[in-house]
Amino acid sequence: MDMTKRILIIDDDPRNIFALGATLKAKKYQIDSCESAKEALALLQTEAEFDVVLIDMMMPEMDGYDAIPLIRKIPSRISTPIIAVTAQAMTGDREKCLDAGADDYLSKPVDVDQLFRLLQTI
């Protein structure tokens, strides 16, 4: 497993950022976080060193469904792997996330083993 990946977590709930971040840091990933999609878009336009983006799909102001296409419009982000994360594991959500431009989808609570398998393949 490549332990040098830099991951951006975008989630409006600091508890989710803390839980995911602590789990990933324990595996030696480098973690950055944003509590809004707007903040993340600004960071992603200026910071080139993210290997993966984990984005919560349900956030106030701008949700993941609106943010992912905007992330994909940033030239350096066209091929950056984006994993959608949502607590709303409803029928059709996975397809809706993939249609928005996500590379994969995880439901909350995040299955840590599934997350690490995804990170190994991207």
Side-chain angles (χ1 to χ4, degrees):
M1 182 186 306
D2 178 6
M3 300 296 185
T4 60
K5 284 184 179 169
R6 185 173 177 196
I7 300 173
L8 176 62
I9 301 171
I10 308 166
D11 196 310
D12 62 308
D13 188 336
R15 296 169 295 183
N16 292 333
I17 291 173
F18 176 80
L20 268 177
T23 300
L24 293 165
K25 284 179 184 176
K27 293 285 188 178
K28 307 296 184 212
Y29 289 99
Q30 184 179 346
I31 305 303
D32 292 87
S33 64
C34 293
E35 290 186 17
S36 76
K38 288 182 180 184
E39 178 187 351
L41 284 166
L43 181 64
L44 288 165
Q45 288 177 18
T46 60
E47 184 65 46
E49 298 301 317
F50 291 107
D51 299 299
V52 180
V53 174
L54 296 175
I55 185 168
D56 180 26
M57 297 308 286
M58 305 309 270
M59 293 184 288
E61 290 186 49
M62 182 187 300
D63 64 20
Y65 298 107
D66 292 331
I68 292 173
L70 295 175
I71 292 170
R72 291 289 184 217
K73 287 182 180 178
I74 301 169
S76 62
R77 298 288 158 228
I78 292 170
S79 62
T80 299
I82 299 175
I83 300 172
V85 183
T86 186
Q88 297 232 313
M90 298 174 66
T91 304
D93 277 354
R94 185 176 196 283
E95 292 74 23
K96 190 175 174 184
C97 292
L98 298 178
D99 288 346
D103 293 287
D104 218 317
Y105 166 92
L106 292 171
S107 60
K108 292 178 185 175
V110 172
D111 178 328
V112 176
D113 293 330
Q114 183 182 9
L115 173 60
F116 289 136
R117 280 193 301 273
L118 273 177
L119 293 174
Q120 287 176 352
T121 63
I122 53 179

